[in-house]
Amino acid sequence: MYRIYQKSWTALRSGKADEVSGNGTVQEIEGDRVLLESLYEQWESVYFTIAEFEELLDDYAAFLDSRSRPGAGSEG
């Protein structure tokens, strides 16, 4: 699922898309910031710089990768 979102984010960054959706939010680039707007009005809109948002995506990808390894999440 993350790989699909990653393609959508790349399209947004390149200007091929105006917005992308994922995890209950719509993400739009506004200048040098990313707007995360709740699809279900569960919270106020949140802004990140593009660099902060991309760091968040990298951290999320690393988390998903760590969980996909054999034995991940099992008790030792």
Side-chain angles (χ1 to χ4, degrees):
M1 198 68 174
Y2 178 76
R3 301 277 181 239
I4 294 169
Y5 180 79
Q6 209 170 24
K7 288 180 183 181
S8 297
W9 173 248
T10 300
L12 180 66
R13 288 283 285 142
S14 68
K16 294 179 182 175
D18 294 327
E19 62 184 35
V20 295
S21 298
N23 292 330
T25 67
V26 171
Q27 300 90 50
E28 296 179 61
I29 294 178
E30 294 185 356
D32 64 346
R33 300 185 309 167
V34 179
L35 166 66
L36 275 65
E37 186 175 6
S38 175
L39 290 174
Y40 309 107
E41 299 181 18
Q42 295 177 342
W43 57 81
E44 297 294 319
S45 297
V46 176
Y47 285 92
F48 291 92
T49 66
I50 291 172
E52 289 170 333
F53 190 70
E54 289 184 338
E55 183 178 347
L56 178 70
L57 293 177
D58 289 344
D59 290 348
Y60 184 57
F63 168 76
L64 292 176
D65 182 54
S66 74
R67 301 293 294 167
S68 67
R69 287 188 219 126
S74 64
E75 303 211 13

